[in-house]
Amino acid sequence: MDIVLQKHLKRQIISQQGGFQVIADLNAYHGFISSLKVSSITNDFSHLKMLGHVFVVEDAKDLAQIVRDVTRYGGAYRPEDIYEFIQRRSDWKVIEKTVDKTMYNLSFKEDCIIV
């Protein structure tokens, strides 16, 4: 079920306001899964529940740090996976350059030279 929800989230464009609804839904799913008392599934949903916060983080630089921090979700997600989730934000085109610049420590004026 964890993978189904991940695929579903990756197909949606989620606004910041919608991100709060995603968090509420993930909390409800986590509550249900926790009631089943299967620790491996509960851990997976705990990580997914935390991942929902990437839709409400306002600062693009903070998002870049979240992507780079591989220990944040207990190693459950690779940076590429988290990056896929933040690409589904409705403001992605606005924040994309800042996220990439912060993630890769790029300065486009200095690092990219077109010949």
Side-chain angles (χ1 to χ4, degrees):
M1 188 167 165
D2 174 60
I3 292 172
V4 171
L5 285 172
Q6 287 183 44
K7 287 181 181 181
H8 177 71
L9 288 173
K10 287 180 182 178
R11 287 188 208 126
Q12 309 304 314
I13 301 295
I14 300 171
S15 67
Q16 188 175 24
Q17 208 170 21
F20 288 107
Q21 185 61 50
V22 167
I23 290 170
D25 292 347
L26 291 174
N27 284 334
Y29 291 133
H30 182 264
F32 170 72
I33 294 299
S34 294
S35 72
L36 299 176
K37 299 189 188 309
V38 179
S39 63
S40 62
I41 299 172
T42 302
N43 286 338
D44 291 342
F45 271 85
S46 292
H47 299 306
L48 183 60
K49 180 177 108 168
M50 290 189 318
L51 187 63
H53 290 90
V54 300
F55 298 111
V56 298
V57 173
E58 290 187 28
D59 187 9
K61 291 180 181 181
D62 289 342
L63 278 172
Q65 293 302 322
I66 289 170
V67 172
R68 292 173 67 187
D69 184 4
V70 293
T71 61
R72 180 178 294 265
Y73 303 106
Y77 301 107
R78 300 170 307 167
E80 299 85 23
D81 298 327
I82 299 166
Y83 192 82
E84 284 182 46
F85 282 102
I86 65 170
Q87 286 178 312
R88 305 314 300 164
R89 291 173 52 119
S90 61
D91 62 349
W92 175 244
K93 291 297 177 191
V94 175
I95 64 171
E96 181 178 12
K97 280 186 181 179
T98 305
V99 170
D100 289 344
K101 182 178 176 181
T102 305
M103 277 180 52
Y104 302 114
N105 294 319
L106 295 176
S107 173
F108 292 110
K109 289 181 180 178
E110 297 166 7
D111 295 337
C112 298
I113 300 173
I114 300 174
V115 210

